[in-house]
Amino acid sequence: MNLAAAFFVAAALAAGPVLYLYLRHALLTVLTLSVPLLGGIFWSLNADGAVAEFIFAAAAFGTVLFFLVAERMARAVCAGTAPRKAVADAVKTVVPAGALAVAAPLLPALAIGRVAGLRALAPASVAVILELAWLGAALWMAAVVPYTEDFIAAANRAREARQGAAAWFAPLAESRWALAVAGIAAMLATIALLRLRSLPAPHHGRVFGAAAAIVLFAAALGWMRDWRLAVAAVLSLAVCGLWLAGFAGEFRWPVLALALAAVLVPLAVFGRCWSGEIRAGAEPAESLQPVFVGEAPPVAMCAALILVLGLGWSRAGSHSLLLPLAGAWIALGLFAFAAFAIALHALLPRYRSVEDVFGKR
């Protein structure tokens, strides 16, 4: 094993104990880590840097996707659902969010990149197809593996501890704090824009940003069924894109798009859960607190996974900060997304009928 591969394997193994403490299941931990390790193998076998980085960015996105399915499935099993039904239900929630997260930035990136984008995609297609096949096999194994009473007890205790920690951030649901966090996010966007001005102007950068924002808004509106949440998702991902482009200095559109997709998918799952509470009649600020307590821990774990794997990827030879910054923004983007949404709901409240106000039916 060469030194570059050793760095990456060490990073993946470092993520293992933390992942096990979260999932409390050895096979689920191994299956989750197998996704980036498989991508790392394909990455190391490809001599073309652009193709190799596209392959690993796809593997990083697949890692987030599989972890979110495994996490939701484990929660359902602990609640008494049969494993196969738990996996099916988790797939129905996470996979459409993953498709939305990939399509919004990647389709404009490939359209704008033209030959350069397709040059990276075509040689990587075999590796990506094999990674997708492995994801399917891993999900099947997750559905048939036994889940003991000891696992259920340990997983429930761990989840209660995580939810207690997440409750500390519940004040974010208050409008005054949401407006403050939204202001901080706007400041970060300004800093990133100033940073971009000192770099060579990226080819078609503005076109990519505008196209990705339009596609993302349309997809998020259909997914979350709330235009304020859709605008909040666009704003959060826009700040993320500015930071990735400005501080990673990366303008390879397909790789940048996959990094943005890895950021977006946990936020899309979170937003779907939140929009369900809002559409059921709950107030946005009030409904955010229980949703945040239940759904913020898996988002934070996705951030840690991408951050650690991205650092290993960078240290192993890519010398790119794209994925480490994307991992950091998964956590920051959750706060920005929630803050933008609460601020929009506060500044532009929903219409309420007399029956809603006075509780009449």
Side-chain angles (χ1 to χ4, degrees), residues 237-320:
L237 202 69
V239 180
C240 174
L242 290 173
W243 268 77
L244 293 185
F247 289 90
E250 297 286 344
F251 302 112
R252 284 163 291 186
W253 301 122
V255 179
L256 177 61
L258 282 175
L260 290 173
V263 174
L264 179 57
V265 63
L267 301 186
V269 174
F270 181 94
R272 176 77 169 193
C273 296
W274 191 10
S275 70
E277 296 293 326
I278 294 173
R279 286 186 288 108
E283 288 296 322
E286 294 175 359
S287 61
L288 175 60
Q289 296 187 24
V291 172
F292 195 91
V293 169
E295 301 297 332
V299 177
M301 189 65 219
C302 288
L305 274 174
I306 296 300
L307 178 62
V308 172
L309 294 173
L311 287 173
W313 179 53
S314 175
R315 186 64 176 166
S318 72
H319 305 297
S320 171

Side-chain angles (χ1 to χ4, degrees), residues 160-208:
E160 290 171 2
R162 291 192 299 269
Q163 290 177 348
W168 284 91
F169 299 96
L172 178 67
E174 298 179 12
S175 298
R176 56 176 180 171
W177 292 112
L179 290 169
V181 174
I184 293 171
M187 241 178 12
L188 293 175
T190 303
I191 294 171
L193 281 171
L194 292 174
R195 167 68 177 171
L196 279 173
R197 290 182 62 182
S198 65
L199 297 174
H203 187 53
H204 294 314
R206 293 180 182 177
V207 177
F208 168 70

Side-chain angles (χ1 to χ4, degrees), residues 9-33:
V9 171
L13 293 179
V18 179
L19 189 59
Y20 177 78
L21 288 175
Y22 190 105
L23 294 173
R24 298 304 172 109
H25 197 283
L27 183 59
L28 289 181
T29 301
V30 171
L31 290 175
T32 304
L33 290 178

